[in-house]
Amino acid sequence: MSPSGNRNSNRNGTRSSLKSAELEPASWATVLAPRLAQFAAVARHEHVTRAAQQLGVPQSTISRAMVRLEADLGVTLFARRGRTVALTPAGRTFLRSAERALAEVERSAETVRADADPESGRVAFGFLHTLGTETVPALLRAFRADHPRVQFQLVQTYGEAMLERLRAGELDLCLTSPVPDAADLVARRMDVQRLHLVVPADHRLAARKRVRLAEAAGDLFVTLEPGFGLRRITDALCAEAGFTPKIAFEGEEAETLRGLVAAGLGVALLPPPAVPRPGVVELTVTGQRAVREIGVAWLDGHPDTPPVAAFKRFLLDRRDQLLP
């Protein structure tokens, strides 16, 4: 059976478009890919011998490959004229697609080689929004003092989305909280960050320095949306204090929540701000361990390129010294 026998078709018998090439044994991609460079070489030279010389293979190998290619396609690609060949109209159409495919393979190979270069490769690094103001810029500045040409693809998002991108291969490493505990991931605790109860400046507790979280049980809370690690920590700490928080607003940025607190719209459990914000008071929570652990995570068994390995070592060397 020819490869076309396994192709998807619609009701009219035409081939449906595919998002990615099929790689079954009888698929076109599997059958044709090894021959595309040979076909393109013959088409460029219009001569089988010169194509074989360019590719460093016997002429007989190229000749047999082109005969088999035409037989598999059921289309004549070359008009033979003695020792030379010329493309048929079908051959010219096929060459345009073959050239694009080969160029894309070349670009992809160069990209992955460049990404793996120890001196100038790329690291895809994810981190929480709350670490983006001071922590991550300071880390990158320190790392690039010794690795000035390494490039970074930075992704700022919440914990669950980061772990999804890690599993999808879109990230090499991420800083997240809580520290994940999953069989397919490797995670190391890097630091612990104290959380404050943030209240408006005119709040009844604002004159205090320390409070028990239970004292805010009757207040409205502003929190991050479900799925954020800090939201899970907030819910767990409130439950430990004996109440379920009444949620007034949910957001995606800690500093937005701090602004809502300043506007008198509720209270919040938040990490310390990079810059003090007017209109709020940051209170130490007593009676329970109001902290979040920050960890670095990567996919278990995933081989590191040299720049990723270097950045991973750099991070692990800063355990308990991650936060400013």
Side-chain angles (χ1 to χ4, degrees):
M1 178 184 290
S2 71
S4 60
N6 281 347
R7 306 295 281 180
N8 293 335
S9 300
N10 61 22
R11 291 183 180 180
N12 296 324
T14 58
R15 289 173 184 168
S16 63
S17 61
L18 298 176
K19 291 184 178 179
S20 59
E22 295 178 2
L23 295 178
E24 298 300 322
S27 69
W28 284 127
T30 303
V31 169
L32 298 180
R35 302 177 196 156
L36 290 184
Q38 296 169 333
F39 165 73
V42 174
R44 292 167 187 166
H45 289 287
E46 295 187 334
H47 199 284
V48 173
T49 301
R50 287 197 289 271
Q53 290 170 346
Q54 179 193 357
L55 296 176
V57 297
Q59 176 182 327
S60 59
T61 299
I62 299 293
S63 297
R64 287 195 300 271
M66 295 305 97
V67 170
R68 180 65 183 274
L69 177 61
E70 290 179 315
D72 284 337
L73 288 173
V75 174
T76 300
L77 301 174
F78 298 104
R80 274 76 177 176
R81 299 171 183 169
R83 295 186 177 183
T84 65
V85 294
L87 288 171
T88 64
R92 286 193 294 273
T93 298
F94 190 61
L95 177 63
R96 287 193 292 271
S97 296
E99 294 277 19
R100 287 196 296 270
L102 292 169
E104 183 60 31
V105 169
E106 188 75 17
R107 283 193 296 271
S108 298
E110 288 301 321
T111 295
V112 296
R113 283 171 57 84
D115 287 348
D117 186 281
E119 298 299 325
S120 60
R122 183 182 67 96
V123 179
F125 180 44
F127 53 93
L128 301 169
H129 289 282
T130 49
L131 301 178
T133 305
E134 288 189 344
T135 301
V136 168
L139 286 171
L140 298 183
R141 182 175 62 248
F143 178 75
R144 291 194 61 160
D146 293 324
H147 304 82
R149 294 172 55 206
V150 170
Q151 303 174 56
F152 282 84
Q153 177 190 344
L154 301 178
V155 175
Q156 245 180 311
T157 186
Y158 64 97
E160 288 186 5
M162 234 177 335
L163 298 184
E164 289 176 7
R165 297 183 74 161
L166 200 63
R167 291 184 170 106
E170 298 173 14
L171 292 175
D172 298 308
L173 300 162
C174 69
L175 286 178
T176 188
S177 178
V179 181
D181 181 14
D184 60 337
L185 301 177
V186 179
R188 299 286 183 268
R189 187 191 67 80
M190 293 295 298
D191 218 330
V192 176
Q193 188 173 44
R194 185 176 295 278
L195 301 178
H196 295 155
L197 180 66
V198 185
V199 302
D202 60 356
H203 191 272
R204 58 187 170 78
L205 298 173
R208 305 265 296 276
K209 291 185 178 180
R210 295 176 176 80
V211 295
R212 291 179 295 105
L213 188 55
E215 295 179 75
D219 286 276
L220 294 175
F221 274 71
V222 294
T223 70
L224 296 177
E225 295 176 352
F228 284 71
L230 188 55
R231 171 61 181 272
R232 295 200 300 274
I233 294 170
T234 296
D235 290 344
L237 286 172
C238 289
E240 184 184 332
F243 69 97
T244 300
K246 304 183 201 61
I247 307 300
F249 294 92
E250 294 175 332
E252 298 180 349
E253 293 272 358
E255 288 311 302
T256 299
L257 300 186
R258 201 171 253 105
L260 295 174
V261 173
L265 299 175
V267 302
L269 273 172
L270 296 173
V275 178
R277 178 158 193 151
V280 301
V281 176
E282 312 264 338
L283 303 175
T284 299
V285 177
T286 62
Q288 58 191 127
R289 192 168 181 262
V291 299
R292 68 169 179 172
E293 292 187 337
I294 309 293
V296 61
W298 60 89
L299 197 60
D300 190 21
H302 192 274
D304 293 332
T305 63
V308 171
F311 188 58
K312 183 188 291 184
R313 288 193 300 270
F314 169 84
L315 289 176
L316 293 175
D317 285 344
R318 277 151 183 77
R319 186 171 182 177
D320 297 322
Q321 302 172 39
L322 179 74
L323 301 172

